[in-house]
Amino acid sequence: MLHRRPFPKAFATAPEKEKKPMTVVTRFAPSPTGFLHIGGARTALFNYLYARHFGGRYLIRIEDTDRQRSTEEAIAAIRDGLAWLGLEGDEPAIFQSRNATRHAEVARQLLADGQAYRCYMTTAELDAEREAARAEGRPVRIRSPWRDADPSEAPAGIDPVVRIKMPREGKTTIADKVQGDVTIDHEQLDDFILLRGDGSPTYMLSVVVDDHDMGITHVIRGDDHLTNAFRQYHLYKLCGWEPPVFAHIPLIHGPDGAKLSKRHGALGVDAYREMGYLPEAVKNYLLRLGWAHGDDEVISEAQAIDWFDLPQVGRSAARFDFAKLENLNGHYLREAEDARLTNLVVERLSRERTLDDVATTRLRDGMGGLKARANTVAQLAESAIFYIDRPVFPLENPKAAKLLSGGGAAVAREAGSALRDLDRWLEEDIEARLRRFAEEKEIGFGKVAQPLRAALTGSNASPGLFEVMAILGREETLARLARTPDHD
RNA sequence: GACCCCUUCGUCUAGUGGCCUAGGACAUCACCCUUUCACGGUGAAGACACGGGUUCGAGUCCCGUAGGGGUCGCCA
């Protein structure tokens, strides 16, 4: 049996004995009608963090009661997304559709108890009712005549839906952990449908029954569900159950301030992965969207678990900002292990070419210099290509091409010759020889370095020259320099 | 339209009546570092939506206005 307590934090430090401490149980409940989008990922994150913070459990429930729109591909996409982010549930995911029988049972019990009724209204009647309400400026709520009608008057030939009897007088206040106290007049509540004409349970019924059966103590979800909370609250009450603590977090908006929806550029987490973002960066970014811990920006998962709580969650929607995500990603990229990054880069570059051992070794050796200059794995892979493929002349990069014009290519070739008799192919020796070369030619070192960079990497920007040469090796370096053609 | 929610620099936010001449981060600009590009460092510019109250004192509390968002399905 689970007991609710008003201040979860109180038992986090409370002695474990006497009274069973309430164990926090949260859930992330996506509907498999599409990919796991970024807003869903944040909801999952918050549920995960909250459960971890209080040493509770975090569960996943797939809301697949809409058999029409739910697909296997979507389920797989959501699983993949959660796995990538490290936000899988503590127990195997529960499929809501499998509990349909149980949901219907609850509805029938409500019917038996007189808390629900069969409604025979036709769609035409429903439409007329709604239209009239809207025209009169009163709340658009269905007032079914069947609520108080004698069941014996039921027309034949119509499969009735089962509606709940919501209170009509008074008001209800929900103490939302994020939104604060929210009060709504019962006039605004309608007798929503529990069971469809075909006897199948609706979402509103299923969530409540499942949340209850799963022992969910805290429902943390997008604030688009705020008004649903009131309907669900009363359903709990009518069932004789204790409602959970609700926390409705603001939605994420796109850069233009509009709701981030599937048709307005909302991307699945797989898209972020493909763009080259690291899961830890995405999580850190999402965490800071609507939540803060003083001036902290870079927050490890351990710190997040330690610090996260609902009262600090802001109440206004935040816009998604790729620039900040990218900056944060750059930070995590620089912190990431070279071996991990090498695997990520190899995976990407392998799509277009075959990499041999020499190539992967160069990538791993050069990763330190490479990752200091990239913000995404995509940029990292792009910038690493020169370690594998020789530049194609004439260079397409105009800035690099310019470095090889006006005698630049000749300088590169000469420098290559000067390097030929080096005893040891080490960074320091290469540097010493090259600096001497510049002195002998009586030109600034930059005049030597830049053409060399262009000849070797095909670009005007790259990791340190000596590092590049050392990793490329004597043979490859000299070969690249010797074949550098003049540009103009 | 009805109801509910929201409103601090361009963006994410700190701020819970005096510590705020409003702080940090990203982005922008300048300079420094430097073989390039990044990183890093220094600095600049940049916000309490508006109007009334309450108070000795308001970004912080109350009311209104404006703007934004959400919900109003036999979808979830």
Side-chain angles (χ1 to χ4, degrees), chain A residues 37 41 43 62 89 114 118 161 171 267 284 335 424 430 459 478:
Chain A
H37 60 86
T43 302
I62 306 293
R118 291 193 172 82
V161 297
K171 49 185 64 171
L267 302 167
N284 193 151
E335 259 187 7
R424 303 179 308 167
I430 297 170
S459 170
L478 296 183

Side-chain angles (χ1 to χ4, degrees), chain A residues 307-330:
Chain A
W307 296 334
F308 189 81
D309 203 348
L310 264 8
Q312 306 142 42
V313 176
R315 279 182 279 194
S316 54
R319 298 187 188 201
F320 196 91
D321 181 16
F322 277 98
K324 189 153 186 173
L325 203 212
E326 186 168 318
N327 174 276
L328 203 49
N329 200 64

Side-chain angles (χ1 to χ4, degrees), chain A residues 108-412:
Chain A
R108 277 194 291 276
Q109 186 59 49
L110 251 16
L111 209 47
D113 295 344
Q115 310 282 25
Y117 60 95
R118 291 193 172 82
C119 173
Y120 296 84
M121 285 177 85
T122 63
T123 35
E125 289 172 328
L126 256 17
D127 290 344
E129 166 82 7
R130 274 191 270 269
E131 222 169 284
R134 205 176 283 266
E136 291 168 36
R138 64 182 157 87
V140 183
R141 298 293 107 101
I142 297 300
R143 296 276 107 116
S144 170
W146 298 98
R147 172 168 167 137
D148 304 307
D150 187 328
S152 64
E153 292 170 28
I158 291 185
D159 288 330
V161 297
V162 173
R163 288 183 185 275
I164 189 173
K165 278 189 187 171
M166 289 293 267
R168 290 207 167 159
E169 312 271 299
K171 49 185 64 171
T172 298
T173 298
I174 286 182
D176 191 281
K177 281 289 189 192
V178 169
Q179 303 293 335
D181 284 357
V182 183
T183 302
I184 209 170
D185 214 283
H186 288 174
E187 261 181 34
Q188 301 298 326
L189 267 18
D190 63 344
D191 290 350
F192 61 89
I193 294 173
L194 260 18
L195 255 28
R196 302 188 180 95
D198 64 2
S200 62
T202 60
Y203 160 82
M204 211 60 73
L205 205 215
S206 296
V207 239
V208 170
V209 177
D210 279 346
D211 280 342
H212 169 264
D213 290 356
M214 290 165 73
I216 302 301
T217 59
H218 293 72
V219 171
I220 303 169
R221 74 236 294 196
D223 71 7
D224 49 339
H225 283 284
L226 184 57
T227 51
N228 284 336
F230 289 90
R231 309 161 114 184
Q232 290 162 8
Y233 173 89
H234 282 103
L235 182 48
Y236 273 96
K237 289 295 196 187
L238 259 22
C239 287
W241 300 332
E242 186 68 13
V245 173
F246 288 104
H248 291 90
I249 63 179
L251 267 17
I252 297 176
H253 286 179
D256 60 349
K259 184 189 180 185
L260 201 56
S261 66
K262 281 163 196 156
R263 32 244 174 234
H264 291 293
L267 302 167
V269 295
D270 59 305
Y272 291 84
R273 179 186 196 170
E274 182 54 32
M275 285 185 274
Y277 295 109
L278 262 14
E280 60 267 42
V282 171
K283 284 206 278 191
N284 193 151
Y285 178 72
L286 253 20
L287 175 65
R288 284 287 290 103
L289 229 43
W291 177 90
H293 182 267
D295 286 338
D296 295 307
E297 296 287 346
V298 176
I299 301 167
S300 70
E301 178 155 327
Q303 289 173 314
I305 289 172
D306 193 27
W307 296 334
F308 189 81
D309 203 348
L310 264 8
Q312 306 142 42
V313 176
R315 279 182 279 194
S316 54
R319 298 187 188 201
F320 196 91
D321 181 16
F322 277 98
K324 189 153 186 173
L325 203 212
E326 186 168 318
N327 174 276
L328 203 49
N329 200 64
H331 172 86
Y332 282 102
L333 204 63
R334 265 158 241 127
E335 259 187 7
E337 295 283 342
D338 289 354
R340 174 187 173 199
L341 260 20
T342 301
N343 287 338
L344 255 21
V345 168
V346 166
E347 178 207 308
R348 278 171 191 264
L349 296 183
S350 297
R351 296 173 191 172
E352 306 286 330
R353 74 210 87 215
T354 309
L355 304 192
D356 56 17
D357 288 347
V358 173
T360 50
T361 299
R362 282 184 195 161
L363 288 178
R364 195 173 52 244
D365 292 345
M367 200 47 69
L370 254 18
K371 72 183 181 184
R373 295 167 171 77
N375 282 330
T376 67
V377 178
Q379 290 168 9
L380 191 61
E382 178 66 31
S383 72
I385 291 176
F386 78 86
Y387 271 133
I388 298 161
D389 302 340
R390 289 182 174 181
V392 177
F393 298 109
L395 297 179
E396 273 188 30
N397 178 329
K399 287 180 182 170
K402 192 174 180 199
L403 293 171
L404 293 178
S405 66
V411 171

Side-chain angles (χ1 to χ4, degrees), chain A residues 17-73:
Chain A
K17 38 188 173 196
E18 58 179 321
K19 294 198 179 157
K20 283 178 219 151
M22 176 186 80
T23 305
V24 166
V25 184
T26 64
R27 47 67 160 184
F28 172 56
S31 59
T33 53
F35 42 54
L36 172 63
H37 60 86
I38 205 71
R42 188 177 64 144
T43 302
L45 210 215
F46 283 19
N47 274 285
Y48 167 82
L49 254 19
Y50 191 77
R52 285 286 175 281
H53 178 79
F54 289 108
R57 287 180 299 146
Y58 158 73
L59 311 176
I60 304 293
R61 184 177 66 231
I62 306 293
E63 314 248 283
D64 57 345
T65 50
D66 185 343
R67 281 103 40 194
Q68 299 293 307
R69 297 195 300 159
S70 299
T71 66
E72 286 301 318
E73 299 74 65

